[in-house]
Amino acid sequence: MPRTTIVAGNWKMNLDRARARELAAAVAARRGEAAGVELVLCPPAVYLETVGATLAGAKSDVGLGAQNMLDKPSGAFTGEVAPPMLVDVGCRYVILGHSERRTLFGETDAAVNAKAKAALAAGLVPIVCVGETLAEREAGKTAAVVTTQVQDSLAGLSPTDLEKVVVAYEPVWAIGTGKVATPEQAQEVHALIRGLLAHLASPAVAAQVRIQYGGSVKPDNAASLAAQPDIDGALVGGASLKADDFLGIAKAFA
Ligand code: PGA
């Protein structure tokens, strides 16, 4: 079966409630422009319920995702959000190990791994982010860095679970910088990741896993990325805050 492409909007810590509702309504209304593409919106946690209600009200199949969670079901973890809570407000996806979580909040591969397992146990689809920094790329360490991140973040997952995971390759130097990886640079790493997944599980499982590219994806560069055989969608930051841009990108993956 061919892979269903998946385009997710990572709104990060942006918008307010009214604008979140407005953007979700616009994406839901225009969803048909990217028919066949799985679409996901990841608003800030406090707006998950609002966005979920807007999507449900529009009878939309656009999915709801969180930007982070803790790997515990409940308890004394001030300021954190549990996987069942995300499910409770209608989430089907959760972004894990985004580079901002890794660099600003010290998330390790081990933490991402625990979160991925907890997400899957709760019935959520984890979108697991990996990617090298500029210094690592310039030092020729891209493959080594991404290999460690993929292997350690996804360690111990059963083949059935692995098949459900979405991997997002996001070179850190391309995030929010306007510097997109060339389609060839991205494809090279995506192919590497698919090879790693084949080792972790099997070639059949690896062939099912969606691998998104992220980092300065815009409507005008999405088509050339989408044309690559191992790029199955996009994780979009800045451009996901405008319905026109988000749908323009999604359309490229249809
Ligand atoms: P960007 O962010 O599209 O603004 O570069 C991507 C991301 O951080 O997921």
Side-chain angles (χ1 to χ4, degrees), residues 98-107 133 172:
H98 187 279
S99 76
E100 286 147 22
R101 300 291 325 163
R102 290 176 184 267
T103 56
L104 302 173
F105 302 98
E107 271 187 30
T133 62
V172 178

Coordinates of all heavy atoms in Angstrom, one line a residue, residues 98-107 133 172:
H98 N 10.9 17.5 19.5 CA 11.2 18.6 18.6 C 12.5 19.3 19.0 O 12.8 19.3 20.2 CB 10.0 19.7 18.7 CG 10.2 20.8 17.7 ND1 11.0 21.8 17.9 CD2 9.7 20.9 16.5 CE1 11.0 22.6 16.8 NE2 10.2 22.1 15.9
S99 N 13.2 19.8 18.1 CA 14.6 20.3 18.4 C 14.5 21.4 19.5 O 15.4 21.6 20.3 CB 15.3 20.8 17.2 OG 14.8 22.0 16.8
E100 N 13.4 22.2 19.5 CA 13.3 23.2 20.6 C 13.1 22.5 21.9 O 13.6 23.1 22.9 CB 12.1 24.1 20.2 CG 12.5 25.1 19.1 CD 11.3 25.5 18.2 OE1 10.2 25.4 18.6 OE2 11.6 25.9 17.0
R101 N 12.5 21.4 22.0 CA 12.4 20.7 23.3 C 13.8 20.1 23.6 O 14.2 20.1 24.8 CB 11.4 19.5 23.2 CG 10.0 19.8 22.8 CD 9.2 20.6 23.9 NE 9.5 20.2 25.2 CZ 9.2 21.0 26.3 NH1 8.5 22.1 26.1 NH2 9.5 20.6 27.5
R102 N 14.5 19.6 22.6 CA 15.8 19.0 22.9 C 16.8 20.1 23.3 O 17.5 19.9 24.3 CB 16.3 18.3 21.6 CG 15.5 17.0 21.3 CD 16.1 16.4 20.0 NE 15.3 15.3 19.5 CZ 15.6 14.0 19.7 NH1 16.7 13.7 20.5 NH2 14.9 13.0 19.2
T103 N 16.8 21.2 22.6 CA 17.9 22.2 22.9 C 17.5 23.1 24.1 O 18.3 23.4 24.9 CB 18.3 23.0 21.7 OG1 17.1 23.7 21.2 CG2 18.9 22.2 20.6
L104 N 16.2 23.6 24.1 CA 15.9 24.6 25.2 C 15.4 23.9 26.5 O 15.5 24.5 27.5 CB 14.7 25.4 24.7 CG 14.9 26.2 23.4 CD1 13.7 26.9 22.9 CD2 16.0 27.3 23.6
F105 N 15.0 22.6 26.4 CA 14.4 22.0 27.6 C 15.2 20.7 27.9 O 14.7 19.9 28.7 CB 12.9 21.8 27.5 CG 12.2 23.1 27.2 CD1 11.8 23.5 26.0 CD2 11.9 24.0 28.3 CE1 11.2 24.7 25.7 CE2 11.3 25.2 28.1 CZ 10.9 25.5 26.8
G106 N 16.3 20.5 27.3 CA 17.2 19.3 27.6 C 16.6 18.0 27.4 O 17.0 17.0 28.1
E107 N 15.6 17.8 26.5 CA 15.1 16.5 26.2 C 16.1 15.6 25.5 O 16.7 15.9 24.5 CB 13.8 16.5 25.4 CG 12.6 16.7 26.2 CD 11.3 16.6 25.5 OE1 11.2 15.9 24.5 OE2 10.4 17.3 25.9
T133 N 22.4 19.7 13.9 CA 22.7 21.1 13.9 C 23.6 21.5 12.7 O 24.1 20.6 12.1 CB 23.4 21.5 15.2 OG1 24.7 20.8 15.3 CG2 22.6 21.1 16.5
V172 N 18.2 21.1 12.2 CA 18.0 22.3 13.1 C 18.3 23.6 12.4 O 17.7 24.6 12.7 CB 18.9 22.1 14.4 CG1 18.8 23.3 15.4 CG2 18.5 20.8 15.1

